[in-house]
Amino acid sequence: MMKKIIAFLFLVSLFSCEDNEVIIDANNLLIGTWLDPVYEGETTTFKRGNSLPNDAYGISFHKNGGFIERTSGWCGTPPLSFFNIEGTFELESTLVNISTESYPTNYAWRIITLTEQELVVKRELTAQEVEYRSLMDLFNEIQELSSSVSCSDATNWLFTAYGSKACGGSQGYIAYSTEIDTNDFLNKIEIYTQAEKTFNVRWGIISDCSIASVPVSVECENGIPTLKY
């Protein structure tokens, strides 16, 4: 009887070890599950694991090109609810390009160190993100011009549509003073609108199809131009 018990315990221990075994692909060390991220400046360090946790962050790279991120999203308020974001990845030398159905849809990590037990990566901007930042820089210039003059007399203020929704139509309306170089301002608006339209087409951006309301006037409130509808 004692021999049977010992044999049973041995089998349980054997299968338990097999379940916890971390399988490493010698041909591609990136394949597998990575856990316990440690963030230091621009780099993130992961430790290799055998499976994604239920209640903690982790990522998994599969041989077939599949990618899974176990996350709680942007909300950091407890109790946290973790879920999977699925996607695909491509490895080009030390660059990991990741595509998912969640924002951001495309991003990349540069591998700094990769061993059997540790993965250190650095976030690297994709072509889409670089173009988007350039777009936002232009819009910031437009906003700075719009707010460069204090609003004291509403009769000196006009408004114009700006931007391009992926579904069509403008993003909204912005006020501007007739005391600034209006030709320069409106030219920047035109460049920005066309650039956003090109960006939407190039990267397959989607948006809602609601139509932005057209203001009826501009009013000055505490020195700030306010659009009235």
Side-chain angles (χ1 to χ4, degrees):
M1 180 68 179
M2 182 60 69
K3 290 182 178 180
K4 290 182 178 180
I5 294 176
I6 293 175
F8 173 76
L9 292 176
F10 173 76
L11 289 173
V12 170
S13 175
L14 177 62
F15 285 118
S16 176
C17 289
E18 289 179 351
D19 289 342
N20 293 322
E21 182 182 358
V22 177
I23 299 176
I24 298 175
D25 186 337
N27 297 318
N28 186 351
L29 293 179
L30 183 65
I31 301 300
T33 301
W34 300 94
L35 314 171
D36 303 327
V38 176
Y39 306 97
E40 296 181 15
E42 296 183 342
T43 66
T44 304
T45 301
F46 293 93
K47 293 181 180 179
R48 190 184 292 275
N50 66 327
S51 63
L52 290 173
N54 292 324
D55 55 359
Y57 185 86
I59 55 176
S60 183
F61 297 96
H62 298 170
K63 276 188 176 182
N64 63 0
F67 171 79
I68 298 177
E69 179 183 26
R70 183 71 175 168
T71 180
S72 60
W74 296 103
C75 180
T77 306
L80 298 179
S81 177
F82 285 83
F83 55 91
N84 288 345
I85 294 177
E86 298 188 2
T88 59
F89 80 96
E90 291 183 357
L91 179 61
E92 300 176 4
S93 184
T94 60
L95 186 66
V96 186
N97 292 300
I98 298 171
S99 298
T100 72
E101 296 180 355
S102 177
Y103 181 83
T105 54
N106 297 285
Y107 59 97
W109 284 334
R110 177 69 66 182
I111 297 175
I112 307 301
T113 304
L114 176 58
T115 68
E116 292 186 349
Q117 301 302 327
E118 185 178 83
L119 169 64
V120 182
V121 296
K122 176 183 177 182
R123 188 76 160 78
E124 186 151 315
L125 293 180
T126 62
Q128 179 182 358
E129 290 173 310
V130 170
E131 188 173 338
Y132 181 76
R133 287 195 175 190
S134 177
L135 199 60
M136 290 302 96
D137 287 342
L138 178 55
F139 187 66
N140 287 338
E141 289 182 27
I142 291 171
Q143 287 186 310
E144 287 177 3
L145 281 174
S146 173
S147 60
S148 63
V149 176
S150 176
C151 186
S152 57
D153 183 356
T155 60
N156 294 329
W157 286 79
L158 301 172
F159 59 83
T160 185
Y162 72 88
S164 175
K165 280 190 171 184
C167 197
S170 63
Q171 290 283 7
Y173 291 82
I174 188 169
Y176 64 98
S177 171
T178 56
E179 297 177 9
I180 66 172
D181 185 337
T182 56
N183 288 332
D184 178 56
F185 180 81
L186 294 175
N187 184 54
K188 287 183 183 295
I189 290 285
E190 184 177 349
I191 293 173
Y192 173 80
T193 298
Q194 185 57 50
E196 186 170 36
K197 184 181 297 184
T198 300
F199 178 86
N200 292 339
V201 173
R202 177 178 291 136
W203 301 109
I205 305 300
I206 59 175
S207 71
D208 63 74
C209 296
S210 61
I211 299 175
S213 300
V214 181
V216 294
S217 64
V218 180
E219 293 184 7
C220 297
E221 297 180 358
N222 299 318
I224 299 174
T226 304
L227 298 175
K228 296 298 179 179
Y229 296 87

